[in-house]
Amino acid sequence: FVYCGTKAALKIGNVLPLGKMPEGTVVCNSEARPGDRGKLARASGDYASIISHNADTGMTRIRLPSGSKKVISSDCRAMVGIAAGGGRNDKPMLKAGRSFYKYKAKRNTWPKVRGVAMNPVEHPHGGGNHQHVGHATTIKWNAVPGQKVGLVAARRTGRLRGGQNKDKE
């Protein structure tokens, strides 16, 4: 059986407050605020791990699947274990039909036609005697709708050069 509550045992599938779990516990479907019924680490194969507890403030620090750390209330509930369906993206789609049915169930975002492959009436990147954009792809943030395609309000473009400064904690 699966049990929920403060007195539930620390077993996979059980739901209990983060404050009742030891540090290093792997959890999924965690609440961001007490009572919001689960918002964090819910995608297939995702999990968060408890880093530390602060008993004075009643807060718990967790590491999210993105690698970022978040401080949330120790009263927030979470499920012990890893979300099901991990490795779903490892298998290649192999053919267009599988992509078709995948996105048919989700939303109309497939296939994606490139702007340069269109005519000028359909897209700002369309037209010309060869498939090329023909102008800078950066666009100002206050451009009118329909003109706003490409890199909107880009601070910089191009390849990321140099090391990224990620704060080590």
Side-chain angles (χ1 to χ4, degrees):
F1 292 102
V2 170
Y3 296 100
C4 303
T6 54
K7 297 193 177 92
L10 192 75
K11 288 186 178 163
I12 290 175
N14 287 356
V15 178
L16 51 158
L18 291 171
K20 301 283 183 189
M21 300 184 200
E23 295 171 6
T25 308
V26 168
V27 297
C28 65
N29 195 11
S30 170
E31 295 179 329
R33 295 183 194 84
D36 73 6
R37 306 182 71 176
K39 295 281 181 277
L40 309 171
R42 292 171 39 146
S44 59
D46 271 359
Y47 63 91
S49 20
I50 297 175
I51 300 170
S52 62
H53 296 293
N54 190 339
D56 304 336
T57 57
M59 301 298 268
T60 297
R61 193 174 178 81
I62 63 171
R63 179 180 285 110
L64 296 175
S66 64
S68 63
K69 298 173 183 73
K70 188 175 175 76
V71 178
I72 56 179
S73 168
S74 296
D75 297 333
C76 292
R77 295 168 296 173
M79 179 179 280
V80 182
I82 297 176
R88 176 172 55 87
N89 297 332
D90 295 345
K91 183 182 174 191
M93 297 296 273
L94 290 179
K95 54 189 197 152
R98 294 209 181 122
S99 277
F100 175 86
Y101 289 111
K102 173 187 173 181
Y103 288 103
K104 183 170 181 268
K106 294 179 177 214
R107 63 203 73 83
N108 186 18
T109 58
W110 188 90
K112 274 194 169 71
V113 180
R114 292 165 301 128
V116 290
M118 298 180 187
N119 291 318
V121 292
E122 293 152 352
H123 199 278
H125 293 172
N129 280 349
H130 301 282
Q131 283 194 4
H132 69 295
V133 177
H135 52 79
T137 54
T138 51
I139 189 74
K140 55 194 177 185
W141 67 271
N142 57 355
V144 295
Q147 186 185 11
K148 216 172 194 178
V149 295
L151 306 163
V152 179
R155 292 196 180 89
R156 62 179 304 285
T157 62
R159 210 157 60 89
L160 285 174
R161 306 292 297 264
Q164 278 79 43
N165 297 345
K166 288 203 174 171
D167 52 334
K168 302 275 193 288
E169 291 186 72

